[in-house]
Amino acid sequence: MTWETIFGRLTWDSLVFSGAIENPSTSEFVASGAGSVVVLGGIALFILLTVMKWWRPLWTDWLTSVDHKKVGIMYIVLAIVMFLRAVIEAAVMRSQQLAAYDGSGYLSADHFGQLFTTHGTIMIFFVAMPFITGLMNYVMPLQIGARDVSFPRLNAISLMLTVAGAILVMISLVVGKFSTGGWTAYPPYTGIEFSPGEGVDYWIWAVTLGSIGSTLTGINFAVTIYKKRCPGMNLFRMPMFTWTTLCTSILMIFAMAPLTAASLMLALDRYADFHFFTNGDGGNMMNFANLFCLFGHPEVYILVLPAFGVWSEVVSTFSGKRIYGYTSLVCATMCIAVFSFCVWLHHFFTMGQSAGVNAAFGIATMLIGIPTGVKIYDWMLTMYRGRIRFTVPMLFHINFLFMFVLGGSTGILLANPTIDFQVHNSLFLVAHFHNVIIPGVLFGMFAAVQFWFPKAFGFRLHEGLGRKAFWFLAPGFVLAFFPLYWIGMMGATRRTATWADPAYLIWFAIAMLGAAMILAGTALLIAQVIVSVKRRKELAVPLGDPWDGRSLEWSIPAPAPSWNFAVVPTVSSQDAFDAAKCNGTAYQTPAKYEDIQVPRNSAIAPLIGLFACASAFGLIWHIWWLAIIGFIMIWAVVIASSFNLDTEETIPADVVRAQNEAFLEAVRNAPGVTRDDETGSANQGKALPERHEKRFAQNMKGNMTEATT
C-alpha cells in the first residue's frame, strides 16, 4: 500500500510550516503565524473544555440541540469567529498595499491572492450568511408566535453543513493553500489547467456545503412562516423582520441552486475531465459567470433584506412609533426580491454582449433603487416627530441611512454601462460594494446583536462600550473605503498586490488608518461582551422587555424558555405586544395550560456535518477511501435516523404553569422603567410603554408639586 493510496496528494510539504523552514521569507512567516494561531487556538479550546468539564454540556445542550434559538446562537457564534479571521486578513491586505509602493511589499503575489479570495469567501458565505441565518433562526419563530421552525432537525443539519464548510476554510490555513481565483472563482483560471493544486478544491467544497445548507434553510423558513403563524397573524400583521425573512427565504431557495450547480460543474471539470467551462472543448466559461451571478446578485439582497428588517424593528422601537408606511415597506421588500433576479447581467457590462442587452440590464439596475428609496423615506418618516433614543442600535441605524444612500448612489452610477466599463476592474468597485455591504449588512447585524442580545441571554450588553465601539467602527469604515473611490477613479486596479504611482500613497495610508480603527472597534465589541458577562447581574433583564418592544418576542421571559410561549398567543393587529401593553391585556394569566411537545435533541446533525467535512477533505486531497466512507456514512446516518420514531418529548403542563406564573408575578410586581432609565441598572426588563410613560411622568410631576407644597 503506497503513501498516495492512504494520504492522496497530502505530504509533509503540504503543511503551512514547511514553507517557512524550506523557503524562509516574510510572506511564509505570516502564513505560518496564521496557521499557528489556528493550531494553538484549537489546542487551547480543547484544554479549556477539558479543564472546565464543558464537553458534556457542549454536546448535550448545544451541538445536539434542535431548538431554533440555540441553533441561531450557534450560527452567530460561527459568524463572529469567522469575522475575526476575515477582518484581520483585510487589515493584512491593506498593510500590504501600503507597503508595496514601488516594490513587492512583504507578501508574495500568490499569498495576497489567497488573502483576497479567503476574505471574500469568508465574509459572504461564512460571516454574512451565518449571521443573517442565525438571526432569522432566533427571532422569526418568536415573532410569529411559533414554538419552533417546521423542520427542527433539518435546521440543525443546515447549521452543521455550514460549519463543515467553515472548518474546511480554516483547515486551509494549516494544510495546503486556498484558491487564488477570487471569491467568484471564475474559469478558466480556476480550471485544472491553470490551478492544478488543492486551492480551488477547498473553495468548491466549502462553498458547496454552505450553499446546500442555505437552500435547506430557505425551504425551512418559508414553510415555517406559511404554516406556523399564531392565530390571527395574517401576512399583513407580521413584523417587518418576518416579512424580510420570508422574502429572503424565497431568494435562498431559488438563488442558491445556481451556485450549487456551478460549483459542482466546476468540480466535474476538475475531477472528471468534463468541459462545461473550457471554451476549446465545447464548453463556455461564460456559463459559469451566468450561473454564479444568477446567484450573486440575489445574494446581495439575501444579505441586505434581513438587515432591512432589523432597521425597521430598531427605528420603530427607538423612535417610540409604529413603523411608517408598513404596507409600502412590504411591497418594496417584495419588489426588491423580484427585481434581484433581473439585474445579474450588469456584472457582464465589460464582457461583450450587445448595447441593447447592456441598456436593458442597466435600466433594471436603476429601477431596483426605487423600492430601496421607499424604505429609506419610510425609516426617516418613522423617526420624524418620534421620541428618538440614541442607543447603540439607533446610532448604527442613523449611520446606515447616510452611508447606504451614498453606496447606493455609486451603484446607480455603475448601472450606466459606459461608466461601469471604465471603473469595473478598479478599486472604485471595491469601495462601492463595501459601501453597501458594511453599513447595510454588517452594521445591521451588529445593531441586531445589541438589540436582541437581552432576549437571548437575559442581560443587556454594556451600553458605554457599545458606543465606543460604534465611534471607532463608523468613522473607521469611512476612512478605510472612501479613499478607494478616489484612487479607483485614478486607475488603481483591484486584486493587485503592488503598485508604483506615488499619488496613491496618501490614500492607502488613510485607508490603513481606517482599517486600524475597524480592528479597534471590533476589539471593543469583544470587550463589551466580556464586560457584560462579568456584570450580568447588574445588566439582567429577566422580565424580557427592556426596550419597550412592539412584537411578540418581547412578551416572554429572557432568556426565552425552550417552548417559547406557555400558551400560543392570539393576535388581532400589527405590533401585537405593544397593543396589548397599551390596552392593558398584556401579561394576563392563561385560562388553561396544556402539555407541550418539543423536539428531542439529536446527534444526526453533528454526525452529518462531521462526515460531510471528512468526505470533502478526502475529495480535496484525493484521499478516495475517506471521501467514499464519509459519503456513505452521511446516508447511513440519514437512513438510521428514519427508524427512530421517538423524536419528541413532553413538557408537563404543571412545569409550564409554574414557570409562567412565576414570570407573570414578577412582571406585575416590577415598577417598570422610563426610557430615560432603560440603559441603567433599574431596567429589569419591564419598560413602560410610551403612553404609560407620559402618564408616569405626569404623576411624578404631580407628586413633586404636592411634596413642595
Side-chain angles (χ1 to χ4, degrees):
M1 186 174 292
T2 64
W3 176 277
E4 288 76 17
T5 304
I6 301 174
F7 296 105
R9 297 187 294 182
L10 195 60
T11 65
W12 292 112
D13 290 339
S14 302
L15 293 176
V16 69
F17 311 108
S18 66
I21 296 171
E22 297 175 2
N23 302 295
S25 66
T26 306
S27 185
E28 292 292 348
F29 287 133
V30 170
S32 297
S36 299
V37 170
V38 173
V39 174
L40 294 175
I43 294 172
L45 180 61
F46 179 85
I47 294 172
L48 177 65
L49 293 172
T50 303
V51 171
M52 301 300 293
K53 298 181 180 179
W54 285 345
W55 284 109
R56 181 179 292 276
L58 176 65
W59 177 257
T60 58
D61 296 342
W62 290 95
L63 295 181
T64 58
S65 175
V66 295
D67 183 343
H68 73 95
K69 298 181 291 298
K70 290 186 176 180
V71 169
I73 291 170
M74 286 189 284
Y75 263 117
I76 293 172
V77 169
L78 171 67
I80 292 171
V81 170
M82 299 304 288
F83 171 72
L84 294 177
R85 173 181 169 181
V87 75
I88 292 171
E89 287 181 336
V92 172
M93 284 191 290
R94 190 66 74 238
S95 64
Q96 160 66 17
Q97 289 175 319
L98 181 60
Y101 167 57
D102 205 20
S104 59
Y106 66 93
L107 297 179
S108 67
D110 186 68
H111 192 175
F112 186 82
Q114 291 180 61
L115 283 174
F116 72 67
T117 303
T118 53
H119 172 76
T121 302
I122 289 171
M123 286 299 293
I124 296 297
F125 296 108
F126 300 109
V127 174
M129 287 296 289
F131 226 138
I132 62 121
T133 304
L135 188 64
M136 293 188 295
N137 240 309
Y138 193 95
V139 176
M140 177 270 291
L142 295 177
Q143 287 195 332
I144 64 173
R147 290 212 165 100
D148 210 319
V149 294
S150 291
F151 310 114
R153 284 166 185 78
L154 186 67
N155 195 27
I157 290 170
S158 300
L159 165 67
M160 291 304 169
L161 289 175
T162 305
V163 170
I167 289 173
L168 290 176
V169 177
M170 296 302 285
I171 289 174
S172 71
L173 272 177
V174 181
V175 184
K177 297 180 179 180
F178 203 76
S179 171
T180 58
W183 77 275
T184 52
Y186 287 151
Y189 181 76
T190 53
I192 195 69
E193 181 179 355
F194 294 100
S195 299
E198 70 282 352
V200 176
D201 298 331
Y202 266 121
W203 182 93
I204 287 172
W205 298 114
V207 168
T208 299
L209 290 173
S211 175
I212 293 172
S214 295
T215 304
L216 299 176
T217 294
I219 295 170
N220 203 350
F221 287 176
V223 173
T224 299
I225 295 172
Y226 287 137
K227 296 293 187 180
K228 291 235 171 210
R229 300 191 308 276
C230 66
M233 184 168 284
N234 59 39
L235 290 176
F236 279 85
R237 288 176 181 167
M238 296 192 310
M240 274 310 305
F241 182 80
T242 299
W243 260 111
T244 58
T245 298
L246 175 59
C247 291
T248 299
S249 301
I250 295 170
L251 291 181
M252 282 181 172
I253 296 169
F254 290 101
M256 303 308 294
L259 173 65
T260 306
S263 61
L264 291 178
M265 291 163 72
L266 181 60
L268 288 172
D269 275 10
R270 292 176 59 84
Y271 284 85
D273 200 27
F274 279 46
H275 299 287
F276 289 113
F277 309 127
T278 49
N279 287 354
D281 298 288
N284 188 340
M285 69 179 187
M286 281 302 297
N287 287 337
F288 182 93
N290 267 287
L291 285 170
F292 188 89
C293 290
L294 191 55
F295 144 81
H297 208 83
E299 168 68 4
V300 173
Y301 295 99
I302 287 173
L303 300 181
V304 84
L305 283 180
F308 285 173
V310 171
W311 298 129
S312 297
E313 303 295 331
V314 165
V315 71
S316 176
T317 299
F318 292 113
S319 296
K321 291 175 59 181
R322 174 178 289 191
I323 191 73
Y324 183 90
Y326 172 88
T327 303
S328 64
L329 279 169
V330 170
C331 294
T333 301
M334 291 190 287
C335 287
I336 289 171
V338 172
F339 274 131
S340 69
F341 283 100
C342 304
V343 298
W344 83 94
L345 234 70
H346 68 209
H347 294 280
F348 308 158
F349 283 162
T350 63
M351 295 185 184
Q353 61 270 357
S354 69
V357 171
N358 282 353
F361 280 87
I363 293 169
T365 304
M366 294 179 188
L367 288 176
I368 205 170
I370 296 174
T372 306
V374 169
K375 287 178 171 287
I376 296 291
Y377 281 111
D378 281 342
W379 290 322
M380 290 193 298
L381 288 169
T382 301
M383 296 169 64
Y384 177 66
R385 300 188 74 177
R387 188 180 173 193
I388 299 172
R389 294 111 74 196
F390 293 101
T391 59
V392 175
M394 198 63 177
L395 290 175
F396 275 113
H397 173 71
I398 294 169
N399 176 74
F400 155 78
L401 289 177
F402 285 103
M403 294 298 103
F404 194 79
V405 168
L406 289 173
S409 299
T410 58
I412 298 299
L413 289 176
L414 290 168
N416 185 323
T418 59
I419 295 175
D420 182 89
F421 195 90
Q422 297 177 68
V423 300
H424 181 82
N425 199 42
S426 74
L427 288 176
F428 186 95
L429 189 66
V430 174
H432 157 71
F433 182 76
H434 287 81
N435 200 170
V436 172
I437 292 297
I438 292 181
V441 180
L442 188 62
F443 287 179
M445 294 304 103
F446 289 165
V449 169
Q450 305 285 328
F451 187 57
W452 277 295
F453 188 94
K455 177 56 58 181
F457 296 101
F459 59 94
R460 292 174 284 112
L461 287 171
H462 189 278
E463 185 77 9
L465 284 171
R467 290 173 182 271
K468 290 177 182 177
F470 169 81
W471 288 113
F472 274 93
L473 289 168
F477 158 74
V478 173
L479 293 175
F481 292 101
F482 275 48
L484 303 189
Y485 281 123
W486 181 247
I487 56 177
M489 289 189 289
M490 292 168 65
T493 54
R494 54 183 175 153
R495 304 171 182 157
T496 304
T498 62
W499 51 280
D501 190 334
Y504 298 169
L505 185 60
I506 182 62
W507 302 110
F508 275 127
I510 295 172
M512 184 66 233
L513 174 61
M517 293 182 68
I518 291 174
L519 284 175
T522 302
L524 283 169
L525 288 177
I526 296 170
Q528 182 193 32
V529 174
I530 295 171
V531 170
S532 301
V533 170
K534 290 182 177 180
R535 298 172 60 178
R536 58 188 177 276
K537 290 184 179 180
E538 175 187 337
L539 299 169
V541 286
L543 305 184
D545 182 26
W547 315 126
D548 184 22
R550 310 181 71 83
S551 45
L552 291 176
E553 73 268 29
W554 305 107
S555 67
I556 58 178
S562 61
W563 53 81
N564 291 351
F565 299 92
V567 175
V568 174
T570 299
V571 304
S572 57
S573 65
Q574 297 173 23
D575 294 341
F577 182 50
D578 179 69
K581 287 186 292 184
C582 289
N583 62 29
T585 59
Y587 305 118
Q588 289 187 337
T589 300
K592 181 182 179 182
Y593 291 95
E594 297 179 348
D595 294 348
I596 297 175
Q597 301 290 327
V598 296
R600 290 186 183 276
N601 285 11
S602 172
I604 296 170
L607 289 176
I608 287 176
L610 174 66
F611 293 131
C613 186
S615 182
F617 187 81
L619 287 167
I620 290 166
W621 290 100
H622 296 185
I623 308 173
W624 304 118
W625 63 267
L626 180 60
I628 293 169
I629 291 175
F631 183 78
I632 292 173
M633 290 303 298
I634 292 172
W635 292 104
V637 170
V638 172
I639 294 169
S641 68
S642 67
F643 291 96
N644 179 20
L645 303 180
D646 185 18
T647 59
E648 292 187 336
E649 62 178 310
T650 301
I651 308 296
D654 290 341
V655 174
V656 178
R657 178 186 294 108
Q659 290 197 25
N660 195 56
E661 291 297 331
F663 163 68
L664 294 176
E665 184 68 19
V667 171
R668 291 165 187 152
N669 292 333
V673 295
T674 65
R675 298 176 181 215
D676 293 334
D677 297 324
E678 69 181 355
T679 59
S681 58
N683 188 354
Q684 296 295 305
K686 184 182 177 182
L688 290 171
E690 179 73 17
R691 283 171 250 178
H692 293 185
E693 186 176 339
K694 290 178 181 177
R695 192 179 307 125
F696 175 83
Q698 291 170 357
N699 292 339
M700 288 294 293
K701 183 177 180 180
N703 292 339
M704 291 179 66
T705 302
E706 292 176 8
T708 303
T709 303

